[in-house]
Each structure stands twice: as structure tokens, then as C-alpha cells.
Amino acid sequence: SALLPMLVQTNFGYDATLAGLVLSPAGVIVMLMMPIVGKLVTKVQAKYLIAIGMLLNAFGMWLTGMVTPQTDYETFVIMREFQTIGLPFLFIPASTLAFSKIAPADSSNASAIVSLMRNLGGSVGIAIVMNKLAHSEQIEQSNLVQHLTVDNFGYKTAIADYMQAAINSGIPALQAPISAMGHIYQELIHQADILAFHDTYDFVAVVLLTLAISALFMPGNKLKKAD
């Protein structure tokens, strides 16, 4: 929810409304999955459902990491749906597991602690991810700059094309190289940012895979006996 709106607004020119429309359709998927998971949690151990949810979310993050400068709106919506399809497998089973061994008299205190830990976890998680994104942007810029040399055919071709486009638009020939370098720099920042998001989504996917394995070692919960 933090990364995708930032990605489409800063690198694809989406406004706040269109960025919101990228996220909104995925809410329907979550709503449809909630009743299904609600029934499964009475028949399947919550820790297994949590592991499934982590795996599904990891796949969604890995898929989003495949974004390119040509990715369109429909693709972003599909990526977001895959990001969130595993969330119902986390919300309901996690709550079930959290309160499975809590006495009714302690449920209010337990609910406060669970809410506190969710907020803390979300804040810490976003801070870590944003730090990873900023660090990756610097690394990717450094990696791309290494290819901007006079003996690189693609770089020389791009400079020549931008210079010709500048001259055709009425810019004096002496100023055309400056304009071309400006366009090259903007494209460098644009592609480095997208690569940084790719790295960050892959990082989150690895974290989720690790959590999926860890979930298997969580305690079990009582299941509803079949009639």
C-alpha cells in the first residue's frame, strides 16, 4: 500500500485518483476471499493458512518486481490483486491464533496488545522498506552511470537522437548537447528508480518467504469438530 502508489505517481505520471484506482479493485478480491478463509480456519490449522498467505503475497511482490517503464494501468491492477490475494489468509487466521489460548476475561487486554503490535510492525516495516528503496536507488544509479561512456553505442545513439530532436524543436545547435544531457539524466533517474522498486519488491518477497517458513513453527489452534 505504501510502495505501489509511490511507484506509479513518481515514475508513471499517475495522479492521486488514478493511483487510488490501481489499489481499489484488489479490495474486491479481499472481500470475496474473507468468507472462504473464515470457513477454512475452522477446518485447517491457522498456521498453515498464514503460511499460504505469506507465499501468495510473496508471489505478488515478486510479480510486481517485474515492472518496466512500459507497464500499463491494467497490469498494475493485476499486480496489486496478486499482492493482496493472500491477505485474508493472514488477517483471520492470525486473529484466531492470537486469541486461541486467551481467557475471555483477558480478551480486551489481548486485543489492545495485538492492535499495538500491528501498528508497530507496520511502522517498522515501512521504515525498513523505505530505507531499502533509498539505498537501492543510489546503487542502481551508480550501476547505470557506468554504462554512460563515449564507447557505449546505445549512449552515443541516444545523445545524437536527443540533440537532433532539440535542434528540430528550435534549440540552438550550441545548446543542443546540454539539452540532450538533461534528457539522458532524467531517463537515468527514471530507470534507476524503477530498478530500485524492483530490488525492494524482491527484498519484501524474500522476507515473506522467510515468514512463511517461520509460520509453520507457530503453535496450533483447536479446530471445530465435524458433525
Side-chain angles (χ1 to χ4, degrees):
S1 298
L3 285 178
L4 194 55
M6 185 185 304
L7 170 63
V8 297
Q9 287 182 272
T10 58
N11 292 284
F12 292 86
Y14 288 23
D15 57 17
T17 301
L18 192 55
L21 291 175
V22 171
L23 303 181
S24 299
V28 178
I29 302 296
V30 175
M31 291 175 59
L32 293 176
M33 292 296 297
M34 282 289 192
I36 298 174
V37 178
K39 293 182 178 179
L40 286 175
V41 78
T42 62
K43 301 177 181 179
V44 181
Q45 286 288 340
K47 62 181 180 180
Y48 298 138
L49 295 177
I50 292 173
I52 292 172
M54 292 291 185
L55 288 173
L56 291 173
N57 286 345
F59 175 77
M61 296 300 168
W62 172 80
L63 183 66
T64 310
M66 300 174 67
V67 63
T68 70
Q70 290 76 40
T71 302
D72 57 12
Y73 170 80
E74 289 77 12
T75 305
F76 279 124
V77 171
I78 294 173
M79 288 177 173
R80 178 60 181 172
E81 289 174 348
F82 275 104
Q83 282 184 10
T84 58
I85 194 172
L87 292 181
F89 290 90
L90 303 180
F91 294 150
I92 300 175
S95 297
T96 300
L97 202 56
F99 294 95
S100 61
K101 298 181 180 180
I102 299 296
D106 298 326
S107 60
S108 58
N109 292 332
S111 178
I113 293 174
V114 169
S115 298
L116 173 64
M117 295 308 297
R118 282 179 176 173
N119 291 332
L120 284 176
S123 300
V124 172
I126 290 175
I128 292 173
V129 168
M130 291 304 172
N131 180 70
K132 169 64 178 176
L133 179 62
H135 183 63
S136 295
E137 286 176 349
Q138 296 176 357
I139 293 175
E140 294 297 347
Q141 286 183 32
S142 177
N143 292 338
L144 290 178
V145 166
Q146 296 177 14
H147 300 282
L148 302 183
T149 58
V150 293
D151 58 344
N152 185 291
F153 177 77
Y155 174 68
K156 291 191 295 184
T157 302
I159 286 290
D161 291 342
Y162 280 128
M163 287 179 60
Q164 188 60 50
I167 294 172
N168 292 340
S169 65
I171 295 177
L174 292 177
Q175 298 180 7
I178 299 175
S179 175
M181 291 300 297
H183 283 289
I184 290 291
Y185 178 74
Q186 291 176 359
E187 188 63 28
L188 169 69
I189 297 299
H190 175 57
Q191 295 194 18
D193 283 351
I194 292 178
L195 289 172
F197 276 99
H198 176 106
D199 297 339
T200 305
Y201 275 115
D202 284 349
F203 168 75
V204 177
V206 171
V207 172
L208 289 171
L209 286 173
T210 305
L211 292 175
I213 297 173
S214 301
L216 299 176
F217 297 94
M218 297 175 71
N221 59 293
K222 294 182 180 180
L223 300 178
K224 183 179 179 181
K225 295 181 179 180
D227 297 333

PDB file of all heavy atoms in Angstrom, residues 141 145 148 162 179-191:
ATOM      1  N   GLN A 141      21.609   3.839  -9.560  1.00  0.00           N
ATOM      2  CA  GLN A 141      22.143   4.993 -10.290  1.00  0.00           C
ATOM      3  C   GLN A 141      23.629   4.800 -10.575  1.00  0.00           C
ATOM      4  O   GLN A 141      24.100   5.075 -11.685  1.00  0.00           O
ATOM      5  CB  GLN A 141      21.919   6.273  -9.482  1.00  0.00           C
ATOM      6  CG  GLN A 141      20.490   6.768  -9.476  1.00  0.00           C
ATOM      7  CD  GLN A 141      20.354   8.079  -8.732  1.00  0.00           C
ATOM      8  OE1 GLN A 141      21.264   8.911  -8.719  1.00  0.00           O
ATOM      9  NE2 GLN A 141      19.216   8.275  -8.089  1.00  0.00           N
ATOM     10  N   VAL A 145      25.233   4.572 -14.355  1.00  0.00           N
ATOM     11  CA  VAL A 145      26.206   5.585 -14.784  1.00  0.00           C
ATOM     12  C   VAL A 145      27.428   4.943 -15.417  1.00  0.00           C
ATOM     13  O   VAL A 145      28.048   5.507 -16.340  1.00  0.00           O
ATOM     14  CB  VAL A 145      26.599   6.474 -13.584  1.00  0.00           C
ATOM     15  CG1 VAL A 145      27.844   7.298 -13.903  1.00  0.00           C
ATOM     16  CG2 VAL A 145      25.448   7.407 -13.215  1.00  0.00           C
ATOM     17  N   LEU A 148      27.275   4.868 -19.149  1.00  0.00           N
ATOM     18  CA  LEU A 148      27.189   6.124 -19.908  1.00  0.00           C
ATOM     19  C   LEU A 148      28.591   6.593 -20.269  1.00  0.00           C
ATOM     20  O   LEU A 148      29.118   7.570 -19.727  1.00  0.00           O
ATOM     21  CB  LEU A 148      26.443   7.182 -19.096  1.00  0.00           C
ATOM     22  CG  LEU A 148      25.023   6.827 -18.659  1.00  0.00           C
ATOM     23  CD1 LEU A 148      24.383   7.987 -17.923  1.00  0.00           C
ATOM     24  CD2 LEU A 148      24.172   6.410 -19.862  1.00  0.00           C
ATOM     25  N   TYR A 162      18.707  12.781 -29.133  1.00  0.00           N
ATOM     26  CA  TYR A 162      18.205  13.892 -28.322  1.00  0.00           C
ATOM     27  C   TYR A 162      18.695  15.231 -28.867  1.00  0.00           C
ATOM     28  O   TYR A 162      17.953  16.228 -28.849  1.00  0.00           O
ATOM     29  CB  TYR A 162      18.638  13.725 -26.866  1.00  0.00           C
ATOM     30  CG  TYR A 162      17.793  12.759 -26.071  1.00  0.00           C
ATOM     31  CD1 TYR A 162      18.382  11.721 -25.346  1.00  0.00           C
ATOM     32  CD2 TYR A 162      16.403  12.895 -26.018  1.00  0.00           C
ATOM     33  CE1 TYR A 162      17.607  10.837 -24.601  1.00  0.00           C
ATOM     34  CE2 TYR A 162      15.623  12.017 -25.281  1.00  0.00           C
ATOM     35  CZ  TYR A 162      16.230  10.989 -24.575  1.00  0.00           C
ATOM     36  OH  TYR A 162      15.465  10.118 -23.847  1.00  0.00           O
ATOM     37  N   SER A 179      20.873  20.180 -23.664  1.00  0.00           N
ATOM     38  CA  SER A 179      19.514  19.652 -23.612  1.00  0.00           C
ATOM     39  C   SER A 179      19.520  18.125 -23.670  1.00  0.00           C
ATOM     40  O   SER A 179      18.772  17.461 -22.935  1.00  0.00           O
ATOM     41  CB  SER A 179      18.690  20.217 -24.772  1.00  0.00           C
ATOM     42  OG  SER A 179      17.404  19.636 -24.806  1.00  0.00           O
ATOM     43  N   ALA A 180      20.387  17.567 -24.522  1.00  0.00           N
ATOM     44  CA  ALA A 180      20.469  16.105 -24.651  1.00  0.00           C
ATOM     45  C   ALA A 180      20.929  15.468 -23.348  1.00  0.00           C
ATOM     46  O   ALA A 180      20.382  14.450 -22.913  1.00  0.00           O
ATOM     47  CB  ALA A 180      21.419  15.732 -25.787  1.00  0.00           C
ATOM     48  N   MET A 181      21.920  16.074 -22.697  1.00  0.00           N
ATOM     49  CA  MET A 181      22.407  15.532 -21.436  1.00  0.00           C
ATOM     50  C   MET A 181      21.339  15.613 -20.340  1.00  0.00           C
ATOM     51  O   MET A 181      21.240  14.728 -19.484  1.00  0.00           O
ATOM     52  CB  MET A 181      23.658  16.285 -20.990  1.00  0.00           C
ATOM     53  CG  MET A 181      24.878  16.031 -21.856  1.00  0.00           C
ATOM     54  SD  MET A 181      25.353  14.280 -21.878  1.00  0.00           S
ATOM     55  CE  MET A 181      25.754  14.018 -20.154  1.00  0.00           C
ATOM     56  N   GLY A 182      20.528  16.660 -20.399  1.00  0.00           N
ATOM     57  CA  GLY A 182      19.429  16.774 -19.442  1.00  0.00           C
ATOM     58  C   GLY A 182      18.429  15.649 -19.596  1.00  0.00           C
ATOM     59  O   GLY A 182      17.966  15.064 -18.607  1.00  0.00           O
ATOM     60  N   HIS A 183      18.099  15.320 -20.854  1.00  0.00           N
ATOM     61  CA  HIS A 183      17.175  14.209 -21.118  1.00  0.00           C
ATOM     62  C   HIS A 183      17.788  12.877 -20.678  1.00  0.00           C
ATOM     63  O   HIS A 183      17.086  12.018 -20.117  1.00  0.00           O
ATOM     64  CB  HIS A 183      16.825  14.162 -22.603  1.00  0.00           C
ATOM     65  CG  HIS A 183      15.834  15.200 -23.037  1.00  0.00           C
ATOM     66  ND1 HIS A 183      14.503  15.150 -22.673  1.00  0.00           N
ATOM     67  CD2 HIS A 183      15.985  16.316 -23.794  1.00  0.00           C
ATOM     68  CE1 HIS A 183      13.869  16.186 -23.199  1.00  0.00           C
ATOM     69  NE2 HIS A 183      14.739  16.916 -23.887  1.00  0.00           N
ATOM     70  N   ILE A 184      19.065  12.710 -20.921  1.00  0.00           N
ATOM     71  CA  ILE A 184      19.744  11.475 -20.509  1.00  0.00           C
ATOM     72  C   ILE A 184      19.702  11.330 -18.988  1.00  0.00           C
ATOM     73  O   ILE A 184      19.444  10.239 -18.455  1.00  0.00           O
ATOM     74  CB  ILE A 184      21.205  11.466 -20.994  1.00  0.00           C
ATOM     75  CG1 ILE A 184      21.260  11.319 -22.528  1.00  0.00           C
ATOM     76  CG2 ILE A 184      21.996  10.348 -20.334  1.00  0.00           C
ATOM     77  CD1 ILE A 184      20.824   9.972 -23.033  1.00  0.00           C
ATOM     78  N   TYR A 185      19.939  12.431 -18.285  1.00  0.00           N
ATOM     79  CA  TYR A 185      19.929  12.386 -16.823  1.00  0.00           C
ATOM     80  C   TYR A 185      18.536  12.047 -16.295  1.00  0.00           C
ATOM     81  O   TYR A 185      18.395  11.244 -15.361  1.00  0.00           O
ATOM     82  CB  TYR A 185      20.394  13.725 -16.255  1.00  0.00           C
ATOM     83  CG  TYR A 185      20.367  13.773 -14.746  1.00  0.00           C
ATOM     84  CD1 TYR A 185      21.322  13.091 -13.995  1.00  0.00           C
ATOM     85  CD2 TYR A 185      19.379  14.499 -14.076  1.00  0.00           C
ATOM     86  CE1 TYR A 185      21.294  13.121 -12.611  1.00  0.00           C
ATOM     87  CE2 TYR A 185      19.347  14.533 -12.691  1.00  0.00           C
ATOM     88  CZ  TYR A 185      20.306  13.836 -11.967  1.00  0.00           C
ATOM     89  OH  TYR A 185      20.257  13.872 -10.594  1.00  0.00           O
ATOM     90  N   GLN A 186      17.503  12.654 -16.878  1.00  0.00           N
ATOM     91  CA  GLN A 186      16.140  12.354 -16.457  1.00  0.00           C
ATOM     92  C   GLN A 186      15.805  10.881 -16.671  1.00  0.00           C
ATOM     93  O   GLN A 186      15.176  10.232 -15.815  1.00  0.00           O
ATOM     94  CB  GLN A 186      15.146  13.238 -17.207  1.00  0.00           C
ATOM     95  CG  GLN A 186      15.211  14.710 -16.825  1.00  0.00           C
ATOM     96  CD  GLN A 186      14.272  15.561 -17.651  1.00  0.00           C
ATOM     97  OE1 GLN A 186      13.563  15.066 -18.541  1.00  0.00           O
ATOM     98  NE2 GLN A 186      14.259  16.860 -17.378  1.00  0.00           N
ATOM     99  N   GLU A 187      16.232  10.343 -17.800  1.00  0.00           N
ATOM    100  CA  GLU A 187      15.978   8.930 -18.084  1.00  0.00           C
ATOM    101  C   GLU A 187      16.773   8.036 -17.132  1.00  0.00           C
ATOM    102  O   GLU A 187      16.295   6.975 -16.712  1.00  0.00           O
ATOM    103  CB  GLU A 187      16.343   8.610 -19.532  1.00  0.00           C
ATOM    104  CG  GLU A 187      15.947   7.209 -19.986  1.00  0.00           C
ATOM    105  CD  GLU A 187      14.450   6.978 -19.954  1.00  0.00           C
ATOM    106  OE1 GLU A 187      13.688   7.956 -20.097  1.00  0.00           O
ATOM    107  OE2 GLU A 187      14.036   5.813 -19.762  1.00  0.00           O
ATOM    108  N   LEU A 188      17.971   8.461 -16.781  1.00  0.00           N
ATOM    109  CA  LEU A 188      18.778   7.716 -15.818  1.00  0.00           C
ATOM    110  C   LEU A 188      18.062   7.619 -14.475  1.00  0.00           C
ATOM    111  O   LEU A 188      17.966   6.525 -13.890  1.00  0.00           O
ATOM    112  CB  LEU A 188      20.132   8.406 -15.637  1.00  0.00           C
ATOM    113  CG  LEU A 188      21.010   7.913 -14.468  1.00  0.00           C
ATOM    114  CD1 LEU A 188      21.508   6.512 -14.737  1.00  0.00           C
ATOM    115  CD2 LEU A 188      22.171   8.866 -14.227  1.00  0.00           C
ATOM    116  N   ILE A 189      17.556   8.741 -13.986  1.00  0.00           N
ATOM    117  CA  ILE A 189      16.849   8.757 -12.706  1.00  0.00           C
ATOM    118  C   ILE A 189      15.599   7.883 -12.787  1.00  0.00           C
ATOM    119  O   ILE A 189      15.298   7.108 -11.859  1.00  0.00           O
ATOM    120  CB  ILE A 189      16.474  10.195 -12.309  1.00  0.00           C
ATOM    121  CG1 ILE A 189      17.741  11.043 -12.105  1.00  0.00           C
ATOM    122  CG2 ILE A 189      15.625  10.197 -11.046  1.00  0.00           C
ATOM    123  CD1 ILE A 189      18.644  10.531 -11.011  1.00  0.00           C
ATOM    124  N   HIS A 190      14.872   7.996 -13.897  1.00  0.00           N
ATOM    125  CA  HIS A 190      13.639   7.236 -14.082  1.00  0.00           C
ATOM    126  C   HIS A 190      13.907   5.731 -14.034  1.00  0.00           C
ATOM    127  O   HIS A 190      13.239   4.981 -13.300  1.00  0.00           O
ATOM    128  CB  HIS A 190      13.004   7.631 -15.415  1.00  0.00           C
ATOM    129  CG  HIS A 190      11.788   6.836 -15.781  1.00  0.00           C
ATOM    130  ND1 HIS A 190      10.682   6.753 -14.973  1.00  0.00           N
ATOM    131  CD2 HIS A 190      11.512   6.080 -16.882  1.00  0.00           C
ATOM    132  CE1 HIS A 190       9.770   5.990 -15.551  1.00  0.00           C
ATOM    133  NE2 HIS A 190      10.257   5.570 -16.701  1.00  0.00           N
ATOM    134  N   GLN A 191      14.881   5.265 -14.781  1.00  0.00           N
ATOM    135  CA  GLN A 191      15.164   3.838 -14.828  1.00  0.00           C
ATOM    136  C   GLN A 191      15.786   3.342 -13.531  1.00  0.00           C
ATOM    137  O   GLN A 191      15.512   2.211 -13.092  1.00  0.00           O
ATOM    138  CB  GLN A 191      16.067   3.530 -16.017  1.00  0.00           C
ATOM    139  CG  GLN A 191      15.406   3.796 -17.365  1.00  0.00           C
ATOM    140  CD  GLN A 191      16.157   3.178 -18.523  1.00  0.00           C
ATOM    141  OE1 GLN A 191      16.977   2.300 -18.356  1.00  0.00           O
ATOM    142  NE2 GLN A 191      15.856   3.655 -19.727  1.00  0.00           N
TER     143      GLN A 191
END
